[in-house]
Amino acid sequence: MMSRILGGALLCIGGAGLLGLMVVSVGDAIMRTFGAPFIGAHEISQTFLAICVAIAVPVSIYRGKAVSIDGVVGFLPPAAARILTICGELLAAGFCALLAFNMVQAGFDARDFAEQTALLRIPYFYMYQDLSAGFALSALAFIARAWISYKAESAL
């Protein structure tokens, strides 16, 4: 129940980010046709793109659509394949957690040095924090996938 609510919320936020990205891109193209470019469209697009990436990656991981190489796993016995899969998912969760931690630090560094976009002066701090939340959700999604694989193994 909770995963459905969280999944629905993430899809709504990601959809809104994608819609915003499309509206800004199309609006900029239309405005350029009339000789009045959309000032700051590139920077707004970067913000919406960060939102889309932060949402799309954990959702695809949770749904089992993460990129993986199954060549070796296909040759192993089922029990060994599941153990290797669980270890791989836990390792990926660790890397995503490390990336989330590094993004938080980079965001605070960007805030301390007042790094921002050139035209609209959007602080990079928010983009870093958005991506760190996405990586943290990705780590949780990998842990959930490992738990699902573990439960499938204990059913044997």
Side-chain angles (χ1 to χ4, degrees):
M1 176 70 173
M2 187 63 167
S3 66
R4 283 183 168 231
I5 294 170
L6 180 62
L10 288 176
L11 289 176
C12 287
I13 294 168
L18 187 59
L19 180 66
L21 182 62
M22 291 186 321
V23 166
V24 169
S25 298
V26 170
D28 183 38
I30 291 171
M31 290 176 72
R32 285 182 186 275
T33 304
F34 295 113
F38 187 161
I39 304 298
H42 179 70
E43 296 170 356
I44 295 171
S45 295
Q46 284 178 337
T47 305
F48 282 128
L49 187 60
I51 291 169
C52 290
V53 168
I55 299 299
V57 171
V59 167
S60 64
I61 290 168
Y62 182 73
R63 291 189 172 185
K65 304 298 181 189
V67 175
S68 64
I69 301 171
D70 295 331
V72 174
V73 175
F75 292 110
L76 296 174
R82 284 194 180 94
I83 290 171
L84 187 62
T85 300
I86 291 169
C87 290
E89 288 166 344
L90 291 176
L91 184 64
F95 282 129
C96 286
L98 181 64
L99 282 170
F101 178 73
N102 285 335
M103 283 292 189
V104 168
Q105 286 183 324
F108 285 124
D109 289 344
R111 186 190 66 186
D112 292 343
F113 291 112
E115 293 179 9
Q116 54 194 359
T117 61
L119 289 174
L120 299 180
R121 309 238 183 257
I122 300 170
Y124 285 132
F125 171 76
Y126 299 114
M127 291 182 210
Y128 281 116
Q129 298 310 311
D130 180 36
L131 290 173
S132 71
F135 282 121
L137 285 173
S138 296
L140 292 175
F142 272 121
I143 290 170
R145 295 296 308 168
W147 181 254
I148 290 168
S149 296
Y150 173 74
K151 285 297 189 184
E153 181 180 274
S154 62
L156 289 179

